[in-house]
Amino acid sequence: MRAVDFGTLLTAMVTPFDDDGNVSYDKVTQLVEHLIKSKSEGIVVAGTTGESPTLTLDEKLKLFEHVVNVAGGRVKVIAGTGNNNTKETIAFSKKVEALGVDALMLVAPYYSKPNQKGLYEHFKTIAENVTKEVMIYNIPGRSSVNVSAETIIALSKIKNITSVKEASGNLDQIATIIEGTDDDFYVYSGDDGLTLPILSVGGHGVISVASHVIGEQMREMIDLFKVGQNEKAAKIHLSILPLMRELFKAPNPVPVKTLLNRQGIDVGSVRLPMVNLTETEEKELLDIASKTLQPLA
């Protein structure tokens, strides 16, 4: 097996909740349609942006199945199934595979802080016990452990580990991964603001939060870069960079949910321990957004 191309613009989808804090599947349907309309080629479900730590396993299973059914093959669906328990991740991932998702995303084991050998064996063991493609999710800011370039390169030799979402923010590390892996191992930016820089060193695309609200601009930027229109791509990058930065001043996904609701795409609030923006934070976000987005409600 080598990688199926999931596309160059994927969205790490928020999880919509109703007024009682339950997953709203009607809102999920509307959001999936919005993301497809705004040029996402893939949807990552129950990742960081989807508030995965606050979702039960049963909620995740139902959410994966619902998104697969709504997407109907129009976009790829990647399910976040990883945690810091290797055995539990395997059992859960096998259940998820049966729902028809296109791939599994496995976050670096958080809290346990394994060494590189432990990280390698964790991902290798899971990959050997599932049939779907595996995307590694390296996010040391949340997991407190960095999957090194050398470890990712070694893991890329395993037949169904075919991509990485790189959110280390370390361009040297990302460039080393790109140089050391085969052309059909796909490196995705896990940071919106680094999308263009990572593309410039050979990255494949981005798994984005900002694409919830500026998907068409990001699609145009990526497409321009891919055809060599670098100056035009850079102009778009600079125009949307302030909003991308603002979306992460408060804990993700609070700002992007705020903007989606303001745009009339009802995704509800966040679950504790996340809390809504303060009035000052919301005003600052809306001031920046008003320069980039269509008029907000």
Side-chain angles (χ1 to χ4, degrees), residues 203-262:
H204 189 64
V206 62
I207 298 175
S208 173
V209 175
S211 55
H212 282 93
V213 292
I214 52 171
E216 293 187 10
Q217 293 99 310
M218 295 189 72
R219 168 84 280 145
E220 183 181 8
M221 178 184 72
I222 293 168
D223 288 348
L224 285 168
F225 178 83
K226 293 288 186 180
V227 297
Q229 298 290 320
N230 297 344
E231 290 185 9
K232 291 182 179 178
K235 186 175 180 180
I236 295 174
H237 168 76
L238 292 172
S239 72
I240 61 179
L241 188 58
L243 177 59
M244 292 192 292
R245 288 172 174 163
E246 194 68 27
L247 285 173
F248 292 93
K249 280 192 176 178
N252 180 45
V254 182
V256 74
K257 276 194 159 183
T258 301
L259 283 186
L260 283 165
N261 288 325
R262 283 282 188 159

